[in-house]
Amino acid sequence: MAQRMLFPISVVGSWSRPPWLVQALRRRQAGEISSAEFHRIADDAALAAIKYQEDAGVDIVTDGEVRRDNFYSFVVEKISGMKLMKVSELLDYMKDRAAFEEILRALDVPAFAIKSPIAVAKLRARGGLTLDEFDFLKEHTARQTKIPLPGPYLLTRSSWFEGLSDTAYPTREDLATDVVQILRDEVVALRARGVDFIQFDEPSLSQVVYGDEAEQTFMCAALGSRRDPSDELEFAVELMNRTVEGISGVKFGVHVCRGNWSRKEEVLLRGNYGPLLPYLMRMQVDQLVLEMATPRAGELEVFKEYRNEKEIGVGVVNPRTDEVEDPHAIVQRVKEMLRFFDPERITLNPDCGFGTFAERCVNTPEIAYRKLKAIRAAAESLRREYGH
Ligand SMILES: [Zn+2]
């Protein structure tokens, strides 16, 4: 029944983290509190994130990713061979440090606050990446569940760093083989536990397409080794398909956005989905989870030649603004998408997370909640209009 509901609502990325949670995260990283103590605190934050979503009317809920420092760095605690490094520490390994520091300034990226997991030895997963998150979520909601995982391309690209990774993995491709295996094992374990939706986050694909040579963002640790964009996109398709090949019984999605690290829209990337769609459509996933509320996502006409080829998760609110979207405007935006996708294929989401990086949440829980309620109001109107 729930699965047939039109215009189901889900979320993308992390819930806005309260200050006490960020403090606990830092204290654990500094060794001042145990992992068990941290998780007792994080349990409260996860419960609040779940409650906010349920109260707002979200149909496919997450735990808000509140246990994570950011959407991909958390793997450092789950995979041996990874080391969490601040972007400011990675600067020491960069060939042109001064130029990169300048780019970080221009892009409003806080190098001290953003951390990346770097492969420094052979990787080995220690009993799952998100199974603890999932078990807690499942225990505390009766709704459908979604687990976001860092995509195989993002994880490979951000973890391989010349001068740090090449002893264990001479090339990125070598690292990718282990990353794919770890993600496959995770997906199989999540499926066995009954997860409904697994979303792979691949935001760095937008950097491949929309970033120019000078804009090597922090999302891509492979600084200075940028390859031809079409080679990178082919690599991303190949890794995704190797990750999900032959696995059924769970819905897969891939999320792409143009950056969510700053409230300054002008420093985030821009461009329509045209250059990405030929590659995204070849990924063996059910749903594309795309930001579309921001004008930076460009015109929707690019979907014309891919009518109903996949399900589409439509971003309908901007997580970085104080203003709460008008449900009527959301309905209008969805109707634009209905020119290319049947109602049964559309899920509604915020464009991206309200948190993203622990120390730089882009919104408050209260505004996030009100934005989800606006989506709910729009969904109800759409269900009335398109329900049978
Ligand atoms: Zn995003």
Side-chain angles (χ1 to χ4, degrees), residues 12 255 257 260 351-352:
V12 176
H255 168 63
C257 64
N260 196 37
D351 269 3
C352 193

Short mmCIF file of all heavy atoms in Angstrom, two decimals, residues 12 255 257 260 351-352, ligand 1:
data_model
loop_
_atom_site.label_atom_id
_atom_site.label_comp_id
_atom_site.label_asym_id
_atom_site.label_seq_id
_atom_site.Cartn_x
_atom_site.Cartn_y
_atom_site.Cartn_z
N VAL A 12 17.28 13.92 1.65
CA VAL A 12 18.61 13.73 1.08
C VAL A 12 19.59 14.31 2.09
O VAL A 12 19.32 15.34 2.71
CB VAL A 12 18.73 14.48 -0.26
CG1 VAL A 12 20.14 14.37 -0.83
CG2 VAL A 12 17.72 13.95 -1.26
N HIS A 255 22.39 10.07 -5.97
CA HIS A 255 22.15 11.50 -5.74
C HIS A 255 23.31 12.33 -6.29
O HIS A 255 24.47 12.05 -6.04
CB HIS A 255 22.01 11.79 -4.24
CG HIS A 255 22.06 13.25 -3.91
ND1 HIS A 255 21.10 14.14 -4.38
CD2 HIS A 255 22.94 14.00 -3.20
CE1 HIS A 255 21.40 15.36 -3.95
NE2 HIS A 255 22.51 15.30 -3.24
N CYS A 257 24.31 16.54 -6.77
CA CYS A 257 23.99 17.96 -6.60
C CYS A 257 25.25 18.75 -6.94
O CYS A 257 26.27 18.18 -7.27
CB CYS A 257 23.51 18.26 -5.19
SG CYS A 257 24.76 17.97 -3.93
N ASN A 260 26.94 21.69 -1.52
CA ASN A 260 26.02 22.11 -0.47
C ASN A 260 26.82 22.57 0.74
O ASN A 260 26.39 22.41 1.86
CB ASN A 260 25.11 20.93 -0.10
CG ASN A 260 23.88 21.33 0.68
OD1 ASN A 260 23.29 22.37 0.44
ND2 ASN A 260 23.51 20.51 1.66
N ASP A 351 16.56 19.51 -2.00
CA ASP A 351 17.67 19.40 -2.96
C ASP A 351 18.85 18.61 -2.41
O ASP A 351 19.51 17.88 -3.13
CB ASP A 351 18.18 20.80 -3.33
CG ASP A 351 17.47 21.36 -4.55
OD1 ASP A 351 16.55 20.68 -5.06
OD2 ASP A 351 17.83 22.47 -4.99
N CYS A 352 19.16 18.82 -1.15
CA CYS A 352 20.29 18.14 -0.54
C CYS A 352 20.07 18.20 0.97
O CYS A 352 18.96 18.45 1.42
CB CYS A 352 21.60 18.80 -0.97
SG CYS A 352 23.06 17.81 -0.57
ZN ZN B 1 23.73 16.81 -2.33
#
